[in-house]
Amino acid sequence: MNPLPVSHTPKAVIYCRISSDKTGAGLGVERQEKDCRELARRLKMQVVEVLSENDTSAYSGAPRPKYERLLEMMRSGSIDAVLALHTDRLHRSLVELEEYVNASEQGSVTTHTVMAGPIDLSTPSGRLVARQLGAVARYEVEHAIERVKAAKLQMAQSGKYLGGQRPFGFEPGRTAIREEEAAVIREIVQRVIDGDSFRAIAMDLNRRGITTTHQREWNALKVRNVALRPINTGIVRHNGIDYEANSPAIIPRDQWEDFLIAVQLNRTRSNHPGTFRKHVLNGFVFCGECGKKMVHKTKVSRGKKSTIVSCESGNRQTGGNGGCGRVARSVDPIIELVRQSIIYRLNSPELVSALHAQKTSAETLKELHAKQRAAEGRAQEVLDDYYVHNLLTREQFERAKVQADAALKAINERIESEYSHAVTSAIDLNGNLEEAWENGTLEWRRDLIALLIDKIIVHRVPRETGYKRPMFCGKWRFDPDLIDIQWRA
């Protein structure tokens, strides 16, 4: 019997995929292609294209461009068959299977697999088999995920290494402390407790030539992430629950608690307008005409430079609409007015007493953080009992979750309140306040302003005939009546 002409030889596309390629060598898809080419030879099919996707999961729902191209070729009728190692290389979702069945019917395309044989999607029985294989494949994936979760939980409960890249400060596999890196972590933690910012620490580490695990330079986020890892203090955190690590700690637990409080205090202070800015009033001053926040600008008059606050008619950051553009004022007399007003108010024994009463202690914050971790652990245990261990009914789960979430919310609100009070702890309200202001840092002054003042409103200079701005402190033509200080306390 004479062979069919080449033009009548069925055209096939080979589709290969592996979910995880840790080495990046692509050996898995190469083996699949080899087996599929052998299948094509037995079926006397011509392979017109090979579509390979490395390190791509069919279960996760991540985009698979080569698979989409395969469906397009099937719908167009440009191929006669699809060759794959197994149906689970094509799809592990029943939704994807239905889309594949439709494409097969539309283009009259057959499917052949090395391991499961031919899949005839043109008949009800063939589609039933395909759906059964898809359901089995999905079960296998879900069962594998549950096994991995259970193994991870068991490892965490034993304090073992959960995998991933080598943690900075530890040897590979967390088998021991790497002392030269651990010393850097200890330094970071103590400097944050002493008041340094992550950004300042990053710049110092780079200047000294100290690099990250990957021999890269530091930035504030990298410093923060390395310093805040619970493993530094001997804690393995898994799904929000803390377990005792089986490796030694770099940071003692008491110092770790002080560090977490220092981090939160820095974050609380950064919520105040423009903390760590160039100007002491930056973010506090608002236009009395339109209510927009005013910006600091440099003004040159008769060869002399001075700083003013101005309502900008255009947004310099976005190019969009800004304020009315009709109010501007020299900033130095506003600062002096604010200074005098603060000192006058702080001379009130009642106000100082009220502010002192707001202060909170580090011990209170430590206790609250311990309760927060316990509440977070309880919330996660409820999830595990329902989703992982199947110990709760749906009704029991929903009731327990509502209770756990409410308890965690109450603790978080208490912590937020305590931290807002804790800002006052960094401000000494006793002694000579004028001297304290004179010698205080920019951050100290801004913390004090944020503690007492909500907004500083600058009103427009009157235009009526005869109005003349008075002298203020013998130095400025400035009307303090046009400044409205809105107090917090």
Side-chain angles (χ1 to χ4, degrees):
M1 182 170 125
N2 295 327
L4 290 171
V6 173
S7 59
H8 292 157
T9 301
K11 296 179 180 179
V13 166
I14 293 175
Y15 180 79
C16 309
R17 178 187 61 80
I18 60 172
S19 299
S20 178
D21 182 11
K22 296 185 182 300
T23 65
L27 299 178
V29 292
E30 286 182 5
R31 287 192 293 267
Q32 291 180 41
E33 180 182 345
K34 180 181 177 181
D35 291 344
C36 288
R37 284 192 180 276
E38 175 60 25
L39 177 62
R41 186 189 64 77
R42 294 200 309 268
L43 297 175
K44 295 182 172 55
M45 292 184 176
Q46 177 191 3
V47 176
V48 296
E49 191 167 348
V50 177
L51 301 175
S52 298
E53 292 188 293
N54 233 6
D55 208 20
T56 306
S57 169
Y59 177 81
S60 67
R64 291 193 286 158
K66 298 294 181 64
Y67 181 74
E68 293 299 325
R69 172 165 167 72
L70 173 66
L71 293 179
E72 291 174 5
M73 296 175 73
M74 293 169 67
R75 295 186 188 104
S76 68
S78 60
I79 59 174
D80 301 298
V82 175
L83 307 181
L85 183 71
H86 192 278
T87 55
D88 63 10
R89 298 301 89 193
L90 293 166
H91 32 68
R92 286 198 169 189
S93 158
L94 295 180
V95 174
E96 277 191 345
L97 172 60
E98 297 305 323
E99 186 179 25
Y100 186 85
V101 168
N102 291 335
S104 299
E105 292 178 339
Q106 190 172 341
S108 300
V109 178
T110 61
T111 299
H112 298 265
T113 69
V114 175
M115 299 179 66
I119 307 296
D120 186 0
L121 298 176
S122 63
T123 65
S125 59
R127 290 192 290 272
L128 174 63
V129 171
R131 291 182 179 114
Q132 288 173 335
L133 289 172
V136 170
R138 186 172 183 87
Y139 165 78
E140 289 175 349
V141 171
E142 292 176 348
H143 189 53
I145 290 173
E146 292 303 324
R147 288 200 306 271
V148 170
K149 284 183 177 179
K152 288 279 188 182
L153 176 60
Q154 188 175 21
M155 291 171 66
Q157 290 171 337
S158 301
K160 294 180 179 179
Y161 179 57
L162 300 182
Q165 69 176 17
R166 178 183 72 81
F168 186 85
F170 293 89
E171 297 296 340
R174 217 181 71 223
T175 55
I177 289 176
R178 183 171 291 191
E179 190 52 46
E180 64 271 21
E181 293 181 353
V184 174
I185 293 175
R186 295 187 190 103
E187 177 188 340
I188 293 171
V189 167
Q190 189 57 51
R191 288 178 63 171
V192 171
I193 292 173
D194 292 340
D196 278 3
S197 68
F198 289 123
R199 178 176 176 273
I201 296 171
M203 293 173 63
D204 183 49
L205 294 178
N206 293 334
R207 179 184 57 79
R208 290 155 54 189
I210 298 173
T211 58
T212 67
T213 305
H214 301 294
Q215 284 72 55
R216 303 282 180 84
E217 286 194 332
W218 297 90
N219 57 33
L221 182 61
K222 290 178 183 177
V223 172
R224 182 183 185 278
N225 289 345
V226 165
L228 278 171
R229 296 173 317 181
I231 193 59
N232 292 339
T233 192
I235 292 173
V236 174
R237 182 165 295 163
H238 180 65
N239 289 339
I241 302 178
D242 291 347
Y243 304 96
E244 202 70 29
N246 63 356
S247 56
I250 295 174
I251 305 297
R253 198 61 57 88
D254 286 349
Q255 187 183 17
W256 177 255
E257 295 288 350
D258 292 340
F259 168 67
L260 293 181
I261 291 171
V263 171
Q264 188 62 43
L265 283 173
N266 286 339
R267 184 183 302 162
T268 303
R269 282 198 291 268
S270 71
N271 288 334
H272 299 147
T275 305
F276 308 122
R277 300 288 184 86
K278 181 179 178 182
H279 304 287
V280 69
L281 296 185
N282 203 359
F284 291 103
V285 187
F286 291 80
C287 175
E289 291 289 300
C290 65
K292 295 289 186 179
K293 190 177 292 185
M294 302 178 77
V295 300
H296 285 66
K297 296 175 61 176
T298 299
K299 178 182 179 181
V300 180
S301 177
R302 299 178 181 176
K304 292 184 178 181
K305 291 183 178 180
S306 63
T307 302
I308 66 171
V309 285
S310 173
C311 180
E312 295 286 274
S313 57
N315 190 313
R316 292 185 296 178
Q317 301 296 325
T318 65
N321 294 330
C324 62
R326 292 186 289 180
V327 179
R329 204 67 42 86
S330 294
V331 75
D332 286 342
I334 301 178
I335 294 174
E336 177 59 21
L337 176 63
V338 168
R339 184 191 73 84
Q340 293 181 14
S341 302
I342 286 176
I343 291 173
Y344 175 79
R345 286 180 67 85
L346 287 179
N347 279 330
S348 162
E350 292 80 12
L351 176 62
V352 174
S353 176
L355 292 174
H356 275 299
Q358 289 184 356
K359 291 189 177 183
T360 190
S361 68
E363 289 304 317
T364 300
L365 292 170
K366 287 181 182 180
E367 291 175 6
L368 287 173
H369 275 295
K371 291 180 179 179
Q372 181 188 47
R373 288 192 297 274
E376 289 172 343
R378 174 57 185 154
Q380 185 59 46
E381 284 175 353
V382 170
L383 294 175
D384 288 345
D385 286 347
Y386 180 70
Y387 287 108
V388 179
H389 306 303
N390 297 318
L391 298 177
L392 301 175
T393 65
R394 183 71 189 182
E395 182 181 353
Q396 291 171 330
F397 164 69
E398 290 179 350
R399 185 167 59 250
K401 187 174 185 304
V402 167
Q403 293 173 349
D405 289 347
L408 181 57
K409 181 182 178 183
I411 291 293
N412 288 337
E413 289 175 350
R414 175 79 188 282
I415 288 175
E416 184 178 351
S417 173
E418 290 295 330
Y419 273 116
S420 67
H421 295 162
V423 175
T424 67
S425 300
I427 301 173
D428 185 4
L429 301 176
N430 300 305
N432 189 324
L433 292 173
E434 293 208 29
E435 183 179 333
W437 179 277
E438 185 65 28
N439 297 327
T441 64
L442 175 67
E443 288 76 23
W444 184 91
R445 293 178 183 178
R446 288 183 60 78
D447 277 347
L448 183 58
I449 292 171
L451 174 66
L452 297 172
I453 295 175
D454 182 37
K455 289 182 179 180
I456 301 168
I457 311 296
V458 180
H459 296 285
R460 193 177 182 186
V461 176
R463 298 293 185 180
E464 59 260 24
T465 304
Y467 174 80
K468 186 177 181 180
R469 284 178 293 178
M471 288 296 296
F472 180 65
C473 296
K475 298 167 67 175
W476 301 284
R477 285 285 180 186
F478 174 80
D479 190 347
D481 290 339
L482 299 179
I483 308 298
D484 178 18
I485 299 176
Q486 296 185 355
W487 301 93
R488 290 183 185 273

